[in-house]
Each structure stands twice: as C-alpha cells, then as structure tokens.
Amino acid sequence: MRAQIDAFTYDALPARIVMGAGKREEVAAEVGRLGCTRPLIVTTREQAALGDDVARQFDAGSTTRFADAAMHTPWDVTQRALDAAQTARADCVVAIGGGSSIGLSKAIALRTKLPQIVLPTTYAGSEATPIIGETRDGQKHTQRTLQVLPEVVIYDVELTLSLPVALSIASGLNAIAHAIEALYAADANPVTSLMAEEGIAALRESLPRIVHSPKSVETRRLAQYGAWLCGTCLGTVRMGLHHKICHVLGGTFDLQHAQTHAVLIPHVVAYNAHAAPQAMARIARALNARHAWTGLYELAVELDAPRSLEALGMLESGIDRAVELIMQNTYSNPRAPDAHALGHMLRQAWKGVPPEPME
Ligand code: NAD
C-alpha cells in the first residue's frame, strides 16, 4: 500500500553527480567546466597516492597537494590547508577520500568560497550534504550552510575497491543510519523517503556480498549507489536521536565514527519503534525483514559488524555522562528522549545484546 502523502516541504540541493567506473579520469574536465585551472588536491596521508594520480591530469605546476586530512576536521589542519591554498593561488579544491578528506575540503570552501569537486571513497555520505563538523579546542561544532555543499561529486566505483571489508561494513551501516533517520524525520518528505528506502535496500543487498567479494565492481557499484542515496537523505532532512548519540559518543569518548553508527542503529530503531510505525514498516520492507530493529541486528550479525560499545573502547562508567549530554539540546525525534530509557538502551548497546523495542 502507498504511504499517505501529507503536506510537506522539500528543499532540493543543487549537485552535479557523475557516476561510473574510471570517472576519476574526468577530474580535469570537471575542473575546466567550473572555469578553474589551479586545484588544491586534498587527501589523507594513507590516500596521498590517489592525489598524485589525479594531479597527472593537469599541467605541471598548476596543482598543489595537501595530504594531511584527519577525522573530525581539526582546526589546526584546516589552518595549514588554508595557507597552502593561498600560497598556491588555488581556484578550486579537489578532495579524494572519505568524510575526513571531504570535511577538510568543506572547511576550506567555507572560508574561501572555492568550488569543490569531490571523489568519495567510503559510504559516509558527506559529499551530498551542506553540513560541516569541525573540531576546535576539543569540541566538535557542526553547522549547515550551502557554502560547503560540493559543486561536483564524482563517484568512481574503482576508488572503493580498496576499502577494507570491516570499514566497508561499518561505513555502509553508517549510510543506512542516515536513511533510517530520514524516514522518521520531523521534516520527512516523499522524495527523500523514496531515496531512503531504495538506499537501505541497495546496501542491504550489497554489504553481505562485499564480505565475500570485496573487489566485485558490480557489488561495489550497488553499495556506492546506495550510499549516494543515503547521503542525500542526510543532506535534505534533519537527523534525530541516533545522530545526536553518535555525535556525543564520537566527540566526548573519541569513538570511531562509522563503527559507533553501526553499533547503535538497531538499538535506536528499537527505541523509536512504537513512535514511528510507518517508518518502521518501510525500513523493514527495505531490509526484507519482519521488524526494522531485528532486521538491522540480524544484518549486523550476518556481516560480523561491531555490535558493542565496549568493543569500541567505551567504558561502562561513561554511560551516565553520555545520557546527560544527550539530554542537553536533543535533536527532534519521534519519541521524546527519556534519561532512564536512554540509559537502559545504551547499556544494551554497550553489552552488544539484541535490541528490545521499548514502550
Ligand atoms: P575517513 O574519511 O576518516 O576514512 C577512514 C580511513 O580509511 C582513513 O584512513 C582513509 O584514508 C581510509 N580510506 C578511506 N577510503 C578508503 C579506501 N577506499 N581504501 C582504503 N582506505 C580508505 O572515514 P569516513 O567514515 O568516510 O569519514 C568520517 C568523517 O566524516 C568524520 O569526521 C565524520 O564526522 C565525517 N562525516 C561528515 C558528514 C557530513 O555530512 N558533514 C557525513 C558523514 C561523515
């Protein structure tokens, strides 16, 4: 049966999406299309060689490489990258990598208004959002502004073939979490919800196949397509309790980003189950499961994904502090956050036991 259509607002985001194997060879053409000639090429240290490959498409001396991108966009790194952009007289940024490289590209664009061409290599989805999170003085600040939305996204599936299986799984579940929260968002709309359901289904199908055939272009293409859809969901509607918890745990306890999402999403879905029945039905349909929360937990077991906060290095004694921080300035969520219930849910997630739907 079709979902009921209520009144809605949909803010479509401008984006040029170029998808296909080998499309990284078109970076120079895309830079030229924007009227630019002097890119600053941004990567992490581990992915510096990808920056060198892309630089070969340009005349000698017209590119500058910056290979120090780091998780959570630390301000000191951004300052050095801004200096590099200025010294090089860069007229655009090309970022190759996951959310860390793309986060740095966004931080540069925010201060310089330079256009961005980004080539994602994980499933985190930052490339599709007008959101930037930056860490300064030990605190992560997040803002939403169209200034940081990349002008061009090149999805070259070949860049994802090297993503280690464990990181692919965690990153894929991170993407699924964006789509799930989009389905019950306060500003959910029919277009984003379509993308969400399709994104979850594409990742549900591809992630188990990646475990067995991580180098399969066909499988990786389906996963990347799903990740694009899920990232677009993150960019077009507001996220709820799950993202709030992940921000608190990532920022305060320094837990790894994608893995924290992977552990928590079945538990938060169980927490929200009774408050968002239509969204739950769509999530279950996309997962081909009886219930949204069991489908997610079973998928995590099937993929051998991280399932406990303890395994990510969190101490049980941190749960009370986490609840306190989550209760300050909560995000909109179908079920009102309740300190007692949140504490119980986090203890379940800490232990890694199956989630329980809560009244
Ligand atoms: P990441 O970019 O930090 O990458 C993790 C590690 O994997 C890095 O060492 C990287 O070099 C390596 N790597 C990435 N792709 C690879 C590949 N294909 N092959 C081999 N190695 C590869 O991880 P991430 O999860 O993509 O990004 C996390 C960051 O992105 C966090 O800071 C998070 O807050 C941010 N983020 C922001 C948004 C947003 O909308 N602003 C959305 C999602 C994530």
Side-chain angles (χ1 to χ4, degrees), residues 107-160:
I108 298 167
L110 181 64
R111 273 103 200 165
T112 59
K113 298 197 165 53
L114 293 182
Q116 309 170 70
I117 294 120
V118 302
L119 294 88
T121 63
T122 69
Y123 304 131
S126 177
E127 67 280 359
T129 80
I131 305 167
I132 176 166
E134 298 181 282
T135 314
R136 211 167 174 163
D137 304 326
Q139 289 222 312
K140 191 159 179 179
H141 302 279
T142 300
Q143 58 176 305
R144 225 172 225 270
T145 161
L146 278 177
Q147 189 58 58
V148 303
L149 184 71
E151 278 70 8
V152 181
V153 184
I154 301 179
Y155 286 105
D156 183 337
V157 63
E158 290 170 1
L159 294 175
T160 64

Side-chain angles (χ1 to χ4, degrees), residues 77-99:
V77 175
T78 299
Q79 277 179 315
R80 284 192 286 117
L82 285 168
D83 287 345
Q86 196 181 25
T87 308
R89 289 178 291 112
D91 58 9
C92 64
V93 186
V94 172
I96 311 155

Side-chain angles (χ1 to χ4, degrees), residues 44 46-47 71-72 98-101 106 121-122 124-126 129 131-132 140 159-160 162-164 167 234 257-258:
T44 58
E46 298 82 12
Q47 293 181 291
M71 182 119 19
H72 304 306
S100 296
S101 299
K106 289 174 160 183
T121 63
T122 69
S126 177
T129 80
I131 305 167
I132 176 166
K140 191 159 179 179
L159 294 175
T160 64
S162 56
L163 191 63
L167 192 50
L234 175 67
H257 178 85

Side-chain angles (χ1 to χ4, degrees), residues 1-3 175-176 178-183 189-205 225-226 229-230 233 278-288:
M1 206 173 76
R2 281 188 185 282
I176 286 179
H178 306 327
I180 285 174
E181 296 238 288
L183 281 164
N189 65 75
V191 180
T192 302
S193 295
L194 277 176
M195 290 193 270
E197 209 176 320
E198 173 75 354
I200 296 169
L203 285 161
R204 174 67 184 93
E205 191 177 327
Y225 162 72
L229 293 170
C230 293
C233 293
Q278 280 195 14
M280 295 301 151
R282 293 186 79 164
I283 297 164
R285 186 166 64 189
L287 292 169
N288 198 14

